[in-house]
Amino acid sequence: KYINQYMLMGGNIRQYVLALKEQELGGLKCELCGKRKKGLNVHHKRYGLDVNYYDLELLCSKCHDIKHQ
């Protein structure tokens, strides 16, 4: 199911993650502060070959900067 949705989006992983997060969260919003903003960042909680959907979170620019401090 998820692979088919991913391929329908032209293999664009960012668009795929945004679509899944939008469905999960009931809209696109920062997972840290809860604000609905345009231009959300897909933040990696960890990196590696075994990274999955749950290792990613949507953050506004302000919260994304805080995570990287």
Side-chain angles (χ1 to χ4, degrees), residues 14 17-43 45 53 56-64 67:
R14 184 176 189 282
V17 170
L18 288 175
L20 289 177
K21 289 288 188 178
E22 183 174 22
Q23 186 177 25
E24 175 189 334
L25 301 171
L28 291 177
K29 59 187 172 186
C30 177
E31 292 186 62
L32 195 58
C33 71
K35 293 184 180 175
R36 295 182 188 273
K37 296 184 177 183
K38 290 185 179 180
L40 293 169
N41 298 288
V42 177
H43 174 74
K45 296 177 187 176
Y53 170 78
L56 305 171
E57 59 188 343
L58 289 182
L59 299 175
C60 66
S61 294
K62 183 178 178 182
C63 290
H64 194 226
K67 287 274 189 166

